[in-house]
Amino acid sequence: LHMTTRTNTNGVWKIIAASSTGTLIEWYDFYIFGMLAKTISTQFFPEGNATAALLSTLAIFAAGFIIRPFGALVFGRLGDLIGRKSTFLLTLVLMGTSTFLIGCIPGYKAIGIAAPLLVLLLRLLQGLALGGEYGGAATYVAEHAPVNRRGYYTSWIQTTATLGLFLALGVILVVKRNLTDVQFNAEWGGWRYPFWLSILLVIVSIYIRLKMEESPMFSKLKLAGTTSKNPLKESFQHKPNFKMVLLALFGAVMGQGVIWYTGQFYAQSFLETKCSIQFEQSRTIMLWAIAFGTPFFLLFGWLSDKWGRKWIMLLGMLLGVI
Protein backbone atom coordinates (compact mmCIF):
# COMPACT_ATOMS: atom_id res chain seq x y z
CA LEU A 1 0.00 0.00 0.00
CA HIS A 2 2.86 2.36 0.91
CA MET A 3 4.61 1.66 -2.41
CA THR A 4 1.37 2.20 -4.36
CA THR A 5 0.73 5.50 -2.59
CA ARG A 6 4.29 6.66 -3.31
CA THR A 7 3.95 5.68 -6.99
CA ASN A 8 0.62 7.51 -7.25
CA THR A 9 2.15 10.59 -5.61
CA ASN A 10 5.09 10.53 -8.02
CA GLY A 11 2.63 10.29 -10.91
CA VAL A 12 0.69 13.31 -9.67
CA TRP A 13 3.88 15.38 -9.42
CA LYS A 14 4.77 14.50 -13.02
CA ILE A 15 1.29 15.59 -14.07
CA ILE A 16 1.60 18.85 -12.13
CA ALA A 17 5.02 19.54 -13.68
CA ALA A 18 3.80 18.85 -17.24
CA SER A 19 0.60 20.88 -16.79
CA SER A 20 2.36 23.76 -15.06
CA THR A 21 5.09 24.07 -17.69
CA GLY A 22 2.56 24.54 -20.47
CA THR A 23 0.38 26.91 -18.47
CA LEU A 24 3.40 28.99 -17.41
CA ILE A 25 4.39 29.39 -21.06
CA GLU A 26 0.83 30.42 -21.97
CA TRP A 27 0.89 33.12 -19.29
CA TYR A 28 4.31 34.27 -20.52
CA ASP A 29 2.86 34.63 -24.02
CA PHE A 30 -0.16 36.48 -22.69
CA TYR A 31 1.77 38.91 -20.50
CA ILE A 32 4.62 40.10 -22.73
CA PHE A 33 2.11 42.21 -24.66
CA GLY A 34 1.20 44.12 -21.50
CA MET A 35 4.83 44.45 -20.43
CA LEU A 36 5.70 46.09 -23.76
CA ALA A 37 2.53 48.17 -24.18
CA LYS A 38 4.38 51.49 -24.41
CA THR A 39 6.77 50.30 -27.14
CA ILE A 40 4.00 48.47 -29.02
CA SER A 41 1.89 51.65 -29.05
CA THR A 42 4.62 53.49 -30.97
CA GLN A 43 4.95 50.67 -33.51
CA PHE A 44 1.36 49.81 -34.39
CA PHE A 45 -0.35 53.21 -34.18
CA PRO A 46 0.23 56.52 -36.02
CA GLU A 47 2.58 59.12 -34.57
CA GLY A 48 1.35 62.40 -33.16
CA ASN A 49 -0.77 61.34 -30.17
CA ALA A 50 1.21 59.13 -27.80
CA THR A 51 -1.55 59.03 -25.16
CA ALA A 52 -4.21 57.87 -27.64
CA ALA A 53 -1.81 55.26 -29.03
CA LEU A 54 -1.04 53.90 -25.54
CA LEU A 55 -4.74 53.81 -24.60
CA SER A 56 -5.53 51.98 -27.86
CA THR A 57 -2.78 49.44 -27.12
CA LEU A 58 -4.10 48.89 -23.59
CA ALA A 59 -7.59 48.42 -25.06
CA ILE A 60 -6.21 45.67 -27.33
CA PHE A 61 -4.48 44.20 -24.26
CA ALA A 62 -7.82 44.27 -22.41
CA ALA A 63 -9.57 42.58 -25.35
CA GLY A 64 -7.56 39.45 -24.56
CA PHE A 65 -9.08 39.41 -21.07
CA ILE A 66 -12.62 40.09 -22.28
CA ILE A 67 -12.49 37.11 -24.64
CA ARG A 68 -11.04 34.73 -22.01
CA PRO A 69 -14.42 33.58 -20.61
CA PHE A 70 -15.48 32.59 -24.14
CA GLY A 71 -12.24 30.62 -24.49
CA ALA A 72 -13.05 28.86 -21.23
CA LEU A 73 -16.51 27.97 -22.56
CA VAL A 74 -15.32 26.84 -26.01
CA PHE A 75 -12.33 24.79 -24.85
CA GLY A 76 -14.08 23.65 -21.68
CA ARG A 77 -16.76 22.18 -23.92
CA LEU A 78 -14.10 20.58 -26.14
CA GLY A 79 -12.40 19.18 -23.04
CA ASP A 80 -15.66 17.54 -21.99
CA LEU A 81 -16.21 16.13 -25.48
CA ILE A 82 -12.78 15.04 -26.75
CA GLY A 83 -10.67 14.97 -23.57
CA ARG A 84 -8.24 17.18 -21.64
CA LYS A 85 -5.02 16.15 -23.39
CA SER A 86 -6.11 17.01 -26.96
CA THR A 87 -7.59 20.32 -25.78
CA PHE A 88 -4.33 21.13 -23.97
CA LEU A 89 -2.31 20.66 -27.13
CA LEU A 90 -4.72 22.76 -29.19
CA THR A 91 -4.61 25.73 -26.78
CA LEU A 92 -0.79 25.59 -26.67
CA VAL A 93 -0.44 25.64 -30.46
CA LEU A 94 -2.99 28.45 -30.77
CA MET A 95 -1.29 30.59 -28.12
CA GLY A 96 2.27 29.99 -29.31
CA THR A 97 1.46 30.69 -32.95
CA SER A 98 -0.50 33.87 -32.11
CA THR A 99 2.30 35.22 -29.92
CA PHE A 100 5.00 34.48 -32.49
CA LEU A 101 2.97 36.16 -35.25
CA ILE A 102 2.48 39.34 -33.19
CA GLY A 103 6.27 39.64 -33.28
CA CYS A 104 6.19 39.30 -37.09
CA ILE A 105 3.61 42.01 -37.93
CA PRO A 106 5.14 45.03 -39.72
CA GLY A 107 4.59 48.43 -38.06
CA TYR A 108 1.97 51.08 -38.84
CA LYS A 109 4.41 52.92 -41.13
CA ALA A 110 4.65 49.83 -43.35
CA ILE A 111 1.08 48.52 -43.57
CA GLY A 112 -1.08 51.24 -42.00
CA ILE A 113 -4.34 50.39 -40.20
CA ALA A 114 -3.85 46.67 -40.96
CA ALA A 115 -1.14 46.58 -38.25
CA PRO A 116 -3.35 47.26 -35.19
CA LEU A 117 -6.20 45.19 -36.67
CA LEU A 118 -3.94 42.15 -37.07
CA VAL A 119 -2.59 42.63 -33.54
CA LEU A 120 -6.17 42.79 -32.20
CA LEU A 121 -7.10 39.56 -34.03
CA LEU A 122 -4.07 37.72 -32.65
CA ARG A 123 -4.69 39.13 -29.18
CA LEU A 124 -8.24 37.74 -29.29
CA LEU A 125 -6.85 34.32 -30.25
CA GLN A 126 -4.46 34.56 -27.29
CA GLY A 127 -7.39 35.26 -24.97
CA LEU A 128 -9.34 32.30 -26.32
CA ALA A 129 -6.34 29.99 -25.86
CA LEU A 130 -5.60 31.14 -22.31
CA GLY A 131 -9.25 30.87 -21.32
CA GLY A 132 -9.19 27.21 -22.35
CA GLU A 133 -5.74 26.45 -20.98
CA TYR A 134 -5.97 27.76 -17.44
CA GLY A 135 -9.25 26.13 -16.47
CA GLY A 136 -8.30 22.96 -18.34
CA ALA A 137 -4.99 22.63 -16.50
CA ALA A 138 -6.63 23.08 -13.08
CA THR A 139 -9.31 20.52 -14.00
CA TYR A 140 -6.73 18.03 -15.28
CA VAL A 141 -4.65 18.21 -12.09
CA ALA A 142 -7.77 18.08 -9.86
CA GLU A 143 -8.94 14.92 -11.63
CA HIS A 144 -5.63 13.22 -10.78
CA ALA A 145 -5.32 14.52 -7.20
CA PRO A 146 -6.53 12.74 -4.06
CA VAL A 147 -9.70 14.40 -2.72
CA ASN A 148 -8.01 15.51 0.52
CA ARG A 149 -5.13 17.23 -1.33
CA ARG A 150 -6.85 18.90 -4.27
CA GLY A 151 -6.35 22.40 -2.90
CA TYR A 152 -2.60 21.92 -2.51
CA TYR A 153 -2.01 20.14 -5.81
CA THR A 154 -4.08 22.55 -7.92
CA SER A 155 -2.42 25.53 -6.19
CA TRP A 156 0.69 24.74 -8.25
CA ILE A 157 -1.29 25.67 -11.37
CA GLN A 158 -2.10 29.05 -9.78
CA THR A 159 1.62 29.80 -9.38
CA THR A 160 2.06 29.62 -13.14
CA ALA A 161 0.33 33.00 -13.59
CA THR A 162 2.88 34.79 -11.40
CA LEU A 163 5.79 32.72 -12.71
CA GLY A 164 4.70 33.48 -16.30
CA LEU A 165 4.73 37.18 -15.46
CA PHE A 166 8.11 36.70 -13.76
CA LEU A 167 9.49 34.98 -16.87
CA ALA A 168 8.10 37.69 -19.17
CA LEU A 169 9.63 40.47 -17.08
CA GLY A 170 12.93 38.61 -16.80
CA VAL A 171 13.26 38.00 -20.56
CA ILE A 172 12.39 41.62 -21.38
CA LEU A 173 14.94 42.95 -18.85
CA VAL A 174 17.70 40.67 -20.21
CA VAL A 175 17.01 41.78 -23.79
CA LYS A 176 16.78 45.46 -22.83
CA ARG A 177 20.04 45.43 -20.87
CA ASN A 178 21.92 44.04 -23.87
CA LEU A 179 20.62 46.64 -26.35
CA THR A 180 20.52 50.41 -26.53
CA ASP A 181 17.12 52.13 -26.31
CA VAL A 182 17.26 52.82 -30.05
CA GLN A 183 18.00 49.16 -30.85
CA PHE A 184 15.29 47.93 -28.50
CA ASN A 185 12.55 50.30 -29.73
CA ALA A 186 13.33 50.16 -33.48
CA GLU A 187 10.63 48.85 -35.86
CA TRP A 188 12.33 45.44 -36.06
CA GLY A 189 14.19 45.89 -32.78
CA GLY A 190 14.72 43.92 -29.61
CA TRP A 191 11.15 44.32 -28.34
CA ARG A 192 10.17 41.61 -30.84
CA TYR A 193 12.59 39.01 -29.43
CA PRO A 194 10.39 37.93 -26.45
CA PHE A 195 7.54 37.23 -28.92
CA TRP A 196 9.78 35.13 -31.15
CA LEU A 197 11.18 33.19 -28.17
CA SER A 198 7.64 31.95 -27.54
CA ILE A 199 7.77 29.44 -30.38
CA LEU A 200 10.75 27.61 -28.82
CA LEU A 201 9.08 27.48 -25.41
CA VAL A 202 5.87 26.11 -26.91
CA ILE A 203 7.71 23.37 -28.83
CA VAL A 204 9.30 22.20 -25.54
CA SER A 205 5.92 22.23 -23.80
CA ILE A 206 4.18 20.32 -26.61
CA TYR A 207 6.89 17.65 -26.42
CA ILE A 208 6.29 17.28 -22.66
CA ARG A 209 2.51 17.20 -23.01
CA LEU A 210 2.51 14.59 -25.77
CA LYS A 211 3.81 12.18 -23.13
CA MET A 212 0.88 12.90 -20.79
CA GLU A 213 -1.98 10.42 -20.32
CA GLU A 214 -5.64 11.33 -20.53
CA SER A 215 -7.36 12.24 -17.25
CA PRO A 216 -8.46 8.99 -15.51
CA MET A 217 -11.81 10.53 -14.59
CA PHE A 218 -12.53 11.50 -18.21
CA SER A 219 -11.33 8.09 -19.46
CA LYS A 220 -13.69 6.36 -17.00
CA LEU A 221 -16.66 8.50 -18.07
CA LYS A 222 -15.86 7.91 -21.74
CA LEU A 223 -15.61 4.16 -21.24
CA ALA A 224 -18.97 4.16 -19.44
CA GLY A 225 -20.50 6.35 -22.15
CA THR A 226 -21.53 9.00 -19.60
CA THR A 227 -19.56 12.01 -20.86
CA SER A 228 -21.59 15.17 -21.36
CA LYS A 229 -23.38 15.35 -24.73
CA ASN A 230 -23.93 19.13 -24.53
CA PRO A 231 -21.86 20.71 -21.73
CA LEU A 232 -22.98 24.30 -22.44
CA LYS A 233 -26.67 23.43 -22.43
CA GLU A 234 -26.29 21.46 -19.22
CA SER A 235 -24.37 24.32 -17.59
CA PHE A 236 -26.69 27.19 -18.52
CA GLN A 237 -30.17 25.68 -18.88
CA HIS A 238 -30.19 23.61 -15.69
CA LYS A 239 -30.93 25.99 -12.83
CA PRO A 240 -28.68 24.36 -10.16
CA ASN A 241 -25.74 24.29 -12.60
CA PHE A 242 -26.33 27.88 -13.74
CA LYS A 243 -26.38 29.03 -10.11
CA MET A 244 -22.95 27.43 -9.68
CA VAL A 245 -21.65 29.24 -12.79
CA LEU A 246 -22.83 32.60 -11.40
CA LEU A 247 -21.40 31.79 -7.97
CA ALA A 248 -18.02 30.92 -9.47
CA LEU A 249 -17.93 34.02 -11.68
CA PHE A 250 -19.22 36.72 -9.32
CA GLY A 251 -18.70 35.15 -5.91
CA ALA A 252 -15.34 33.45 -6.25
CA VAL A 253 -13.16 34.93 -8.99
CA MET A 254 -14.31 38.46 -9.89
CA GLY A 255 -12.86 40.03 -6.73
CA GLN A 256 -9.61 38.12 -7.20
CA GLY A 257 -9.38 39.35 -10.78
CA VAL A 258 -9.73 43.00 -9.78
CA ILE A 259 -7.03 42.69 -7.10
CA TRP A 260 -4.70 40.68 -9.33
CA TYR A 261 -4.72 42.91 -12.42
CA THR A 262 -4.68 46.15 -10.45
CA GLY A 263 -1.69 44.92 -8.45
CA GLN A 264 0.23 43.51 -11.39
CA PHE A 265 -0.50 45.91 -14.25
CA TYR A 266 -1.88 49.21 -13.03
CA ALA A 267 0.87 49.17 -10.38
CA GLN A 268 3.49 49.21 -13.15
CA SER A 269 1.86 52.14 -14.90
CA PHE A 270 1.49 54.00 -11.58
CA LEU A 271 5.14 53.47 -10.64
CA GLU A 272 6.33 54.84 -13.98
CA THR A 273 3.88 57.66 -14.68
CA LYS A 274 3.04 58.93 -11.16
CA CYS A 275 6.08 57.97 -9.11
CA SER A 276 8.54 58.70 -11.99
CA ILE A 277 10.40 55.41 -11.49
CA GLN A 278 12.37 54.21 -14.52
CA PHE A 279 11.32 51.17 -16.62
CA GLU A 280 13.97 48.79 -15.27
CA GLN A 281 13.49 49.89 -11.66
CA SER A 282 9.71 49.52 -11.76
CA ARG A 283 9.99 46.08 -13.35
CA THR A 284 12.58 44.99 -10.77
CA ILE A 285 10.22 46.07 -7.96
CA MET A 286 7.50 43.94 -9.60
CA LEU A 287 9.84 40.95 -9.86
CA TRP A 288 10.62 41.08 -6.13
CA ALA A 289 6.92 41.45 -5.26
CA ILE A 290 6.05 38.41 -7.40
CA ALA A 291 8.91 36.37 -5.91
CA PHE A 292 7.68 37.07 -2.37
CA GLY A 293 4.01 36.52 -3.21
CA THR A 294 4.13 33.28 -5.21
CA PRO A 295 4.82 30.80 -2.33
CA PHE A 296 1.58 31.92 -0.67
CA PHE A 297 -0.44 30.23 -3.43
CA LEU A 298 0.92 26.94 -2.15
CA LEU A 299 0.48 27.83 1.51
CA PHE A 300 -3.18 28.82 1.14
CA GLY A 301 -3.88 25.92 -1.22
CA TRP A 302 -2.54 23.59 1.46
CA LEU A 303 -4.56 25.35 4.17
CA SER A 304 -7.73 25.11 2.05
CA ASP A 305 -7.51 21.31 2.32
CA LYS A 306 -7.53 21.68 6.11
CA TRP A 307 -9.84 24.66 6.69
CA GLY A 308 -12.03 24.63 3.57
CA ARG A 309 -12.04 26.93 0.51
CA LYS A 310 -14.64 29.49 1.60
CA TRP A 311 -12.81 31.06 4.53
CA ILE A 312 -9.49 31.13 2.69
CA MET A 313 -11.11 33.07 -0.19
CA LEU A 314 -12.87 35.48 2.19
CA LEU A 315 -9.64 36.11 4.07
CA GLY A 316 -7.75 36.76 0.83
CA MET A 317 -10.36 39.21 -0.45
CA LEU A 318 -10.43 41.03 2.91
CA LEU A 319 -6.64 41.42 2.81
CA GLY A 320 -6.94 42.64 -0.79
CA VAL A 321 -9.46 45.33 0.19
CA ILE A 322 -7.24 46.48 3.06
Side-chain angles (χ1 to χ4, degrees):
L1 179 63
H2 175 71
M3 286 296 291
T4 304
T5 302
R6 193 169 71 179
T7 303
N8 289 343
T9 302
N10 289 340
V12 171
W13 282 114
K14 286 179 182 178
I15 287 156
I16 290 170
S19 301
S20 298
T21 301
T23 309
L24 185 153
I25 291 166
E26 293 240 10
W27 279 112
Y28 164 85
D29 288 347
F30 197 71
Y31 281 149
I32 52 177
F33 192 96
M35 302 295 99
L36 295 167
K38 195 171 181 180
T39 302
I40 288 171
S41 70
T42 64
Q43 297 298 329
F44 295 126
F45 290 92
E47 294 178 355
N49 192 334
T51 302
L54 180 57
L55 288 173
S56 299
T57 303
L58 291 174
I60 291 176
F61 181 61
F65 292 101
I66 293 168
I67 203 74
R68 266 185 63 192
F70 298 98
L73 289 172
V74 170
F75 289 106
R77 185 177 193 279
L78 272 180
D80 286 338
L81 292 173
I82 66 172
R84 320 303 186 206
K85 180 180 176 181
S86 300
T87 308
F88 264 167
L89 293 171
L90 184 56
T91 57
L92 260 179
V93 170
L94 187 61
M95 177 64 92
T97 304
S98 301
T99 306
F100 178 77
L101 290 176
I102 288 175
C104 298
I105 296 172
Y108 187 89
K109 291 178 183 177
I111 60 173
I113 192 67
L117 290 177
L118 285 171
V119 172
L120 174 60
L121 174 63
L122 292 171
R123 184 67 187 165
L124 292 175
L125 291 175
Q126 281 189 321
L128 281 172
L130 186 62
E133 165 72 25
Y134 198 44
T139 302
Y140 185 79
V141 171
E143 289 179 347
H144 282 85
V147 175
N148 64 339
R149 302 208 73 191
R150 276 187 187 153
Y152 176 63
Y153 283 146
T154 55
S155 68
W156 286 90
I157 295 297
Q158 315 313 314
T159 67
T160 60
T162 50
L163 293 174
L165 183 57
F166 196 93
L167 181 62
L169 284 169
V171 168
I172 290 166
L173 285 176
V174 168
V175 173
K176 203 168 191 328
R177 283 175 180 171
N178 285 282
L179 298 171
T180 65
D181 283 346
V182 173
Q183 289 173 324
F184 184 81
N185 294 309
E187 184 178 358
W188 291 96
W191 67 271
R192 293 182 184 266
Y193 298 169
F195 289 98
W196 293 340
L197 176 64
S198 164
I199 205 72
L200 297 177
L201 296 175
V202 168
I203 288 169
V204 171
S205 185
I206 288 173
Y207 174 76
I208 293 170
R209 285 196 170 178
L210 281 171
K211 295 180 177 296
M212 293 165 64
E213 299 294 331
E214 185 52 86
S215 157
M217 194 176 291
F218 179 82
S219 298
K220 187 177 179 181
L221 289 171
K222 191 173 181 181
L223 192 64
T226 55
T227 54
S228 176
K229 300 294 186 290
N230 194 331
L232 294 182
K233 185 177 179 181
E234 290 173 19
S235 296
F236 292 101
Q237 289 190 4
H238 293 188
K239 191 175 179 181
N241 293 345
F242 186 54
K243 283 174 67 177
M244 288 300 296
V245 170
L246 295 178
L247 178 64
L249 182 60
F250 294 106
V253 298
M254 188 168 70
Q256 297 172 22
V258 170
I259 293 167
W260 169 257
Y261 293 112
T262 302
Q264 304 292 10
F265 291 99
Y266 180 68
Q268 291 178 55
S269 173
F270 183 84
L271 288 172
E272 288 184 49
T273 60
K274 303 302 178 187
C275 302
S276 302
I277 295 175
Q278 296 299 310
F279 180 95
E280 288 191 17
Q281 288 178 309
S282 70
R283 297 310 191 268
T284 303
I285 289 170
M286 292 300 299
L287 283 174
W288 278 108
I290 293 164
F292 280 119
T294 299
F296 287 96
F297 282 109
L298 305 177
L299 172 64
F300 288 112
W302 175 73
L303 284 174
S304 78
D305 287 325
K306 298 182 178 298
W307 297 352
R309 327 295 183 200
K310 178 181 174 180
W311 294 108
I312 295 293
M313 289 193 292
L314 288 173
L315 175 64
M317 289 181 196
L318 176 62
L319 290 172
V321 169
I322 293 170

